[in-house]
Amino acid sequence: MKLITAIIRPHKLEDVRSNLDKIGISGISITEIKGYGKQKGHIENYRGNEYLIDYIPKLKVEIAVNDCDVQKVVDSIIEAAKTGQTGDGKIFIKNLEEVIRIRTNERGEKAL
Amino acid sequence: MKKYLLLSLFGVPAFALDWMSSFDKIDTGNTSWILISAALVLFMTLPGIALFYAGMIRKKNILATMMQSYIIVAIVSILWVIVGYSVAFTPGSPFIGGLERLFLNGLSVVTNDSTLSVHPNASSIPESVFIVFQMTFAIISSAIITGAFAERMKFSALVAFIAIWILAVYAPTAHWVWEGSGWLANHGVLDYAGGTVVHINAGIAGLVGAIMLKPRVGYKKEAMTPHNLVLTLVGVAFLWFGWFGFNAGSAVAADARAGMAMLTTQIATAAGALSWMVFEIIYKSKPSALGFASGAVCGLVGITPAAGFVNPSGALIIGILTAIVCYYFVTVIKRKLNYDDSLDAFGIHGIGGIVGAILTGVFCDKAISGAEASMSAQIIGVLITIVYSGVVSFVILKIIDKTIGLRVSKDEEREGLDIVCHGERLG
């Protein structure tokens, strides 16, 4: 099992969710976050003066999946979240040791 | 004086000769328009300026910034009644009005013989209406200043500064320019609705305050971006709306000149907003909401001294030029000189007032104004106001700095004035 963590543009969330629905992924967690990558923030203009905004709002999408689903989940996130511009985000994949469904106490892949 | 003393001895109030009028001399049309105008000008401060400024600062200072406008309305109203109106609008020496109207002494409506008091400048409306109309100008002038040193001044220091400033700076200059015996008025200085008295006065006081308080903690190192420009856009809409009372009300009549002042105000404001936007498109590629609001205020400020004196094409040029000069000051000069005029009270009101006052001398149309404009008189009026407001504001601020202190501590500034000064915060 893997935990896929995708940092995406906030306005891409609905596209990502829709793509995940299409491939049968039923559960995701969303967190509002701020940060920066290579582009080091962005420029905003107030009364003609430029301000460098260091931390840009993003969404963190977390999805726990079976090993066999990893590639199609990654592909569908990329397809939905990509604009081709700097700041599209990143995807991180980590091993997941255990998953437990609280209601039934099921464990492992059955709990996903 | 002897004549007044003699009359007083016989029980006739000293003001009776010059100030009393009969009911039938009052024009109800004029009176109703000035009643509305007074309410419009008050609306420019509450909630106009309060919201305009509140949207541009950081969230931790929103209540404190709004409270500065609110407390000013209360303080200036009372001081205007006690002493301000008398020293500003009583005929006296060329430099200061008399004290015979302290506590509005002599303000009266006598139904028995159908007489009431009127001001010599506005003999077709009750004096009470004139007093409250002028009071709202004193209020907004003080409220404008707060934009220069927002986010770092002690509440107590602000209260003390405004209380002294309104009597030591605003009231005398209003007397010089607007009262018939004032020396600048007699020198030919034209200021239709307050380019000199309101905007230059407030802008210069703000600049002096901004320099004396020094920049905010983190200035130029942290992005101090506006926390809610919706509030600013609502505020500027209220300012634009209220400014019709400010300018068209300054005719002190519901007449052709009031109509022309309203028209020129609309033209200059629209021209100012569009000019600022064009500049942003050229230099920054995007027309911003704050830019539109800023340009509109530039147009409003620029046309203020000229509103009832110029024709529509003059208003158009004044709006455009004022926005160009203010844009340059706000975006270039301020950063070069390294003063922190937080919300550009000087950059827009001070500079806009100076540009408007000088351009009044250029575009004054005798067919409309009935007056000859003199460029030299306008420039002298501007320079004297700059020097007087600058020096006296400096002295007042210095005294406050040495006694109660001007600025909150660094830690308090980091925490925000809402909690530090008022013990409240937004949720």
Side-chain angles (χ1 to χ4, degrees):
Chain A
M1 295 179 296
K2 299 281 191 262
L3 178 65
I4 299 175
T5 303
I7 310 297
I8 63 169
R9 295 177 190 272
H11 71 271
K12 285 292 184 185
L13 177 63
E14 282 312 305
D15 291 343
V16 168
R17 195 184 70 88
S18 167
N19 264 17
L20 292 173
D21 272 353
K22 282 178 196 163
I23 59 170
I25 299 297
S26 54
I28 62 174
S29 302
I30 310 296
T31 314
E32 291 180 1
I33 57 167
K34 282 183 177 182
Y36 64 84
K38 277 186 180 167
Q39 80 276 26
K40 297 285 181 198
H42 67 235
I43 302 290
E44 291 181 10
N45 254 304
Y46 296 100
R47 279 202 171 134
N49 290 310
E50 291 182 346
Y51 295 85
L52 177 64
I53 305 301
D54 292 332
Y55 305 108
I56 304 171
K58 296 281 179 191
L59 288 183
K60 183 165 78 175
V61 180
E62 290 172 307
I63 314 154
V65 296
N66 292 323
D67 291 335
C68 60
D69 290 332
V70 170
Q71 197 53 51
K72 65 179 181 182
V73 167
V74 167
D75 290 344
S76 69
I77 292 173
I78 290 173
E79 185 195 84
K82 184 175 179 178
T83 69
Q85 303 296 311
T86 307
D88 275 350
K90 288 227 169 24
I91 296 173
F92 308 106
I93 301 171
K94 287 192 289 191
N95 284 321
L96 203 53
E97 286 184 11
E98 185 65 289
V99 176
I100 304 158
R101 177 171 280 130
I102 294 173
R103 176 170 55 87
T104 59
N105 209 24
E106 291 168 291
R107 290 172 183 252
E109 292 188 358
K110 280 192 227 163
L112 285 176
Chain B
M1 182 56 79
K2 275 184 184 171
K3 180 173 64 181
Y4 288 178
L5 276 176
L6 196 63
L7 287 168
S8 298
L9 284 174
F10 284 91
V12 180
F15 58 84
L17 274 181
D18 300 313
W19 298 76
M20 294 304 285
S21 180
S22 64
F23 278 8
D24 57 17
K25 296 268 177 64
I26 295 302
D27 184 302
T28 52
N30 291 352
T31 302
S32 58
W33 170 233
I34 305 307
L35 282 166
I36 291 167
S37 292
L40 285 172
V41 181
L42 182 62
F43 193 66
M44 291 168 73
T45 304
L46 298 186
I49 283 273
L51 287 174
F52 182 64
Y53 282 171
M56 283 191 278
I57 44 84
R58 289 166 291 178
K59 190 179 172 187
K60 62 187 178 181
N61 297 318
I62 183 170
L63 294 173
T65 302
M66 293 187 81
M67 264 301 285
Q68 291 186 343
S69 290
Y70 280 74
I71 191 68
I72 279 169
V73 172
I75 293 169
V76 175
S77 296
I78 299 301
L79 287 175
W80 192 249
V81 165
I82 294 173
V83 59
Y85 174 70
S86 187
V87 297
F89 284 101
T90 306
S93 83
F95 304 107
I96 192 81
L99 297 177
E100 53 263 44
R101 311 308 301 280
L102 293 185
F103 291 93
L104 303 184
N105 175 41
L107 171 69
S108 59
V109 175
V110 185
T111 47
N112 288 345
D113 63 356
S114 298
T115 59
L116 79 172
S117 58
V118 296
H119 189 276
N121 280 13
S123 56
S124 70
I125 64 173
E127 191 185 14
S128 55
V129 180
F130 183 74
I131 291 168
V132 78
F133 181 61
Q134 292 299 341
M135 176 196 286
T136 59
F137 279 62
I139 288 168
I140 194 164
S141 304
S142 310
I144 287 168
I145 302 172
T146 61
F149 37 68
E151 301 198 294
R152 57 201 190 276
M153 194 175 199
K154 281 183 183 175
F155 184 71
S156 55
L158 184 274
V159 169
F161 173 67
I162 293 299
I164 303 169
W165 186 87
I166 202 69
L167 301 178
V169 178
Y170 182 85
T173 43
H175 180 77
W176 300 349
V177 177
W178 283 337
E179 210 292 312
S181 59
W183 68 295
L184 290 181
N186 289 321
H187 194 72
V189 173
L190 297 177
D191 183 5
Y192 190 74
T196 304
V197 178
V198 175
H199 296 290
I200 300 178
N201 240 346
I204 296 295
L207 175 67
V208 171
I211 293 169
M212 291 182 70
L213 270 98
K214 299 190 175 68
R216 286 165 287 180
V217 172
Y219 181 62
K220 283 191 173 175
K221 292 176 194 144
E222 299 164 19
M224 297 175 178
T225 55
H227 91 280
N228 188 343
L229 286 178
V230 171
L231 297 180
T232 296
L233 287 176
V234 172
V236 83
F238 291 167
L239 282 172
W240 195 329
F241 171 72
W243 224 290
F244 290 128
F246 196 79
N247 284 359
S250 290
V252 203
D255 61 6
R257 179 174 277 189
M260 185 58 85
M262 181 174 268
L263 177 62
T264 55
T265 300
Q266 182 67 7
I267 292 169
T269 311
L274 290 174
S275 318
W276 195 293
M277 285 185 70
V278 167
F279 264 77
E280 283 196 328
I281 291 168
I282 293 171
Y283 293 110
K284 305 291 174 188
S285 77
K286 289 178 184 170
S288 70
L290 181 57
F292 181 91
S294 308
V297 176
C298 289
L300 289 162
V301 171
I303 196 62
T304 293
F309 298 142
V310 298
N311 56 41
S313 56
L316 184 69
I317 298 169
I318 288 174
I320 293 169
L321 291 180
T322 308
I324 290 172
V325 178
C326 290
Y327 182 89
Y328 182 67
F329 256 83
V330 166
T331 59
V332 180
I333 300 285
K334 183 170 84 165
R335 296 188 79 77
K336 276 191 178 165
L337 297 183
N338 206 32
Y339 60 89
D340 183 12
D341 176 7
S342 316
L343 310 179
D344 297 310
F346 170 70
I348 289 182
H349 292 275
I351 296 299
I354 291 168
V355 173
I358 293 171
L359 292 180
T360 301
V362 178
F363 294 105
C364 181
D365 183 343
K366 196 178 177 188
I368 292 169
S369 67
E372 283 290 354
S374 156
M375 273 294 288
S376 61
Q378 291 304 106
I379 292 170
I380 287 170
V382 167
L383 292 176
I384 286 169
T385 309
I386 290 172
V387 171
Y388 184 76
S389 179
V391 170
V392 180
S393 299
F394 173 81
V395 172
I396 300 168
L397 286 164
K398 200 75 189 165
I399 292 168
I400 293 171
D401 191 26
K402 295 289 178 196
T403 50
I404 54 182
L406 287 174
R407 186 167 175 164
V408 296
S409 71
K410 268 188 183 176
D411 285 343
E412 289 174 329
E413 197 177 320
R414 285 269 183 221
E415 188 173 6
L417 301 187
D418 288 1
I419 287 286
V420 168
C421 295
H422 305 289
E424 299 168 291
R425 66 179 172 88
L426 294 190

